[in-house]
Amino acid sequence: MTTEADARATEPVGMLALWVSVLGAKLAWLAHLALSYPLVPLVCAGGGELLLHTITVVALLAAAGTGFVAWRAWRRLRLANEPDEPGTPRGRFMAVYGVLSSGLFAITIVAQGLPTFVLDPCM
Amino acid sequence: VATTLDRLERTWSPPAGLMGWLTAVNHRTVGLRYITTALILFLIAGAQALVIRLQLAQPGLSILSPEAYNQVFTMHGTTMMFLFAVPVMEGIGIYLVPLMIGARDMAFPRLNAFGYWVYLIAALTLYWSFLVGSAPDGGWFAYVPLTGPEYSQGLNIDYYVTAITFLEIAALVAAVELIVTIFKLRAPGMAIHRMPLFVWAILVMAFMIVFAMPPLMVGSVMLALDRMVGTHFFNVAQGGDPLLWQHLFWFFGHPEVYIVLIPALGVVSSIVATFTRRAVIGYTPIVLSIVSIGLLSFGLWVHHMYTTGLPALGENFFAAASMMIAIPSGIQIFAWIATIWEGKPVWRTPFLFVMGFLIIFVLGGITGVMVASVPFDAQVHDTYFVVAHFHYVLIGGSVFPLLGGLHYWFPKAIGKLPSERLGRWSFWLLFLGFNIAFFPMHITGFLGMPRRVYTYLPGLGWDVLNLVSTIGAFVFALGALVFAYNMVRSARHGPLADDNPWGAGTLEWATSSPPPPYNFRVVPEVRSREPLWEQERWWASEPPAERQASIVADPEAGRRETPGTSLLDGRVMTRVVLPGPSLWPLGLAIAVAITFIGSLISLWLVPIGALLTYVAIVGWTWPNRARPQAEVNVVAAETPDPQREPVAGSEAPMWWGIVMLIVIETTVFATLITSYFYLSNGAAEWPLGGFSPPDLLLPTINLGVLLLSGGAMYWGDRGIHQGNQRRLIIGLLISFALGVVFLVLKYIEYSDNDYLWDTNAYGSVVWTITGFHSAHVIALLLKTLTVLVLAWQGFFTEKRNLGVEVNGFYWQFVVVVWLPLYAVLYLAPRWL
């Protein structure tokens, strides 16, 4: 894999952590929408609004988790003082991006979770 | 040095004359063709808009008949969205991306040319229907049941579904092309955090196309089948559902708006940086914004369907996402304002267009947040308020940056400077004309005027507003003409442009204007985001000999080469050899056109076109023995070697191309599966019509047959990797035979079925999914046949086997995708 050569340059943070930072919260948001929307008619029939809230909480926790991974990666890469190592600035970019991305998508998950408090699923 | 230049020139120059014109594959030629064609269509669709505005200038006019009006507004929208906006953005990407990332061409130059021909044929087909008076007339989103077989009986909608489905091939091809080029052909040192923001924007646009277009293709194929062979996907009486069309269309249609917007945001970032003389503030947040807008736009589609009676809670998930997309949009706006604030703005024409963009787009964004709210939308849905909103977003968000960008990159592409005076005139006419035309529509909409009415009664309070809008539209058109005049006149008489007339910082300005056929004499090495501002002027002086050697400055034996670099850090890994001019792309485009558009004349043309497509693909991919074949070298990636020749695995652009094809196909199959469950959820009984669920025995045996064929293919594939040609041939033969057995068993199974595709919606979806998968198996058998012939001739060796690898990869995909399809077709009816 091409990325293996890239990965070596980003020590001390692994490639997996950086990809989780970049993509994790986005996938959590996607899963939240893709699960909640089709469930509405079922929730109406079965009365389980708690299920929708649970999905929101789990998605939010996932986004917070990827945010934490990104923040930790960023701190480590900031401490790793190797300006000549080509991977490090790029790794830092991915980590900072991950922190911001996790924040944005966590807010979006919250916004998507709010209607469940207000609206009747059978409306 | 002169010999190096001569060699580059000889290697990359296209052949002369008509043949050269038909066989051209260079990305700048193809890009300019896209842009020019799209701009001509923009003018045509603009003229249609003027006719619409004339008809509406006063109440009770009859310049157009109601039928003609329907065709004109449908063609206006269809042309603007499908034939202008997406192709022009792709064209700009195709032209600029290789220059911006320091590559000599794109990853698949011939595919690029093929995409353009498809686009051109699709555009000609749609306008042929317009000329013969049976243009599509159901609006650009072609809602069923109006566009279904019952209410639209002429050829009008048939033109729409076939041309649009066909056209999406061009969009997808360009998207794959752009993604793989950006992934694999960036100049050495251009790590992802040094990519120009414009390149990020094009990358996101391309990914959006990959995920958004397949659902539209599935939807339009379903509509075509409903109309042509009597399926019932959208027919309520037989268990179909018109809302399925709306879901499929808007799952494409909403991202479509952002597909058009996002590259424009990239243009704005380029212009802002150059004309404020500093890097745009907030690179990382802007990249995040671009990516997030692209992703969030897939979670908004239901906001086009608020008034269709969906559950309110479900709608509000989409309202939330629709409002949240304002955050990343706002981040970018504030980043640009901060950049302008901190920089030294130079008020030239491109910058004026950016200013126009900021004002108009923010207004359109605000009305966008308004219509994202379910109750507000219910009030203004289908009124002129929505017309005002989306023209603010599309013209403000997309056309203004586009025109600014055309003015900005004109000197690079043409080598002449555009007139600043005419540029200013065009900007102010466009800006004022736009606001005079479209601002009153907000009010017309509030006053209740519905969109798409061909006339209205006097005394409703709409008369003056409509007249003002019409006047504004003509002022806008005048601005567009001045702009076009400026381009044409400057191309002939403008002063010569030097390499970097605006003093910009990105790589496209490091080469001559217009660039030579090979783009760069020496492939640049990148160490910063604005290399022309921050690095020494390496491009002006002769490169040291060791750099020439290391970065593919010196092509051998007339081969078109460009460095292949790693995905994240842009380290040089290999040299990629690109194909040269060819007539096959045009031939394939014509063959595919016969398959799709031939269905308008006779359904028999579909298999004939498919056969010709096969012939063209074989001709295209057949190895040219006159030229030395590149041997695949499986050297571990740990030892990057710029001198190393073409490659296997994830280093090869071809590998990424196949991965993207599989992503597209997966999206298509996922859409089919989703449609299956959508229809079954809405049905009282499933299977519909009291049929019993399909028998399990034969299909399960057949599943085993297909899995075995995958195993045999893998076994043969491994064999050739060890240099065992016999094993390859045996493996191919076994998997070929098993593939035939699979199809025969399929035939036996389905000839025994009680229901056909036109029995009810259940039959339609089952036959379509099976038919689509079987078509894949047939295509693969044909493909394998050609691989088999080559294997028989001993073409493949231990080192030269990319053709086998790609064929096997795709075969495994068609095997694996049958697993979920098997579960859906045979197991799901028992559970549902």
Side-chain angles (χ1 to χ4, degrees), chain A residues 2 6 9 15 90 107 119 123, chain B residues 312 316 324 566 568-569 650:
Chain A
T2 330
D6 288 337
M15 217 55 232
R90 190 261 301 147
I107 299 172
L119 292 168
M123 242 167 71
Chain B
N316 275 281
M324 295 312 285
S566 67
L568 292 176
D569 287 330
S650 66

Side-chain angles (χ1 to χ4, degrees), chain B residues 205-270:
Chain B
M205 172 196 78
F207 266 105
M208 293 176 70
I209 290 175
V210 162
F211 289 108
M213 297 291 173
L216 173 71
M217 288 179 89
V218 171
S220 54
V221 167
M222 284 176 177
L223 183 53
L225 292 175
D226 267 16
R227 295 179 56 83
M228 292 177 187
V229 300
T231 55
H232 300 288
F233 287 105
F234 308 122
N235 178 7
V236 182
Q238 293 297 338
D241 189 345
L243 278 192
L244 175 59
W245 169 263
Q246 291 202 23
H247 277 295
L248 292 175
F249 187 88
W250 288 117
F251 187 83
F252 145 81
H254 197 81
E256 162 87 350
V257 176
Y258 289 87
I259 286 169
V260 172
L261 170 72
I262 281 179
L265 302 179
V267 172
V268 171
S269 285
S270 298

Side-chain angles (χ1 to χ4, degrees), chain A residues 1-2 6 8-9 15 26 29 33 36-37 86 89-90 93 97 100-101 104-105 107 111-112 115-116 119 123, chain B residues 184 192-193 247 284 288 291-292 295-296 299 310-313 316-318 320-321 324 566 568-569 571 638 650:
Chain A
M1 286 290 289
T2 330
D6 288 337
R8 246 181 301 287
M15 217 55 232
K26 297 185 175 77
W29 166 76
L33 187 65
S36 306
Y37 176 64
R90 190 261 301 147
F93 165 74
Y97 176 98
L100 296 172
S101 166
L104 176 65
F105 282 91
I107 299 172
Q112 257 168 212
T116 313
L119 292 168
M123 242 167 71
Chain B
K184 296 310 296 171
I192 50 168
H193 67 290
H247 277 295
T284 309
L288 173 68
V291 178
S292 307
L295 185 63
L296 283 168
L310 298 172
L313 178 55
N316 275 281
F317 295 145
F318 289 86
M324 295 312 285
S566 67
L568 292 176
D569 287 330
R571 295 150 180 262
E638 291 85 77
S650 66

Side-chain angles (χ1 to χ4, degrees), chain B residues 518-530:
Chain B
Y518 43 88
N519 283 353
F520 300 93
R521 191 170 51 176
V522 177
V523 171
E525 196 172 315
V526 175
R527 288 191 293 276
S528 61
R529 280 178 198 150
E530 274 88 13

Side-chain angles (χ1 to χ4, degrees), chain B residues 43 70 126 151 158 176 182 209 223 226 258 262 269 335 341 362 422 448 526 547 594 606 717 722 726 739 816 830:
Chain B
L43 291 179
N70 288 347
L126 265 182
Y151 299 105
D158 293 333
V176 170
I182 295 171
I209 290 175
L223 183 53
D226 267 16
Y258 289 87
I262 281 179
S269 285
W341 194 281
V362 167
L422 286 173
V526 175
R547 280 210 46 229
I594 293 171
V606 177
D717 193 357
Q722 296 157 14
R726 232 172 86 91
V816 169
R830 290 160 197 276

Side-chain angles (χ1 to χ4, degrees), chain B residues 373 383 391:
Chain B
S373 146
T383 71
H391 281 93

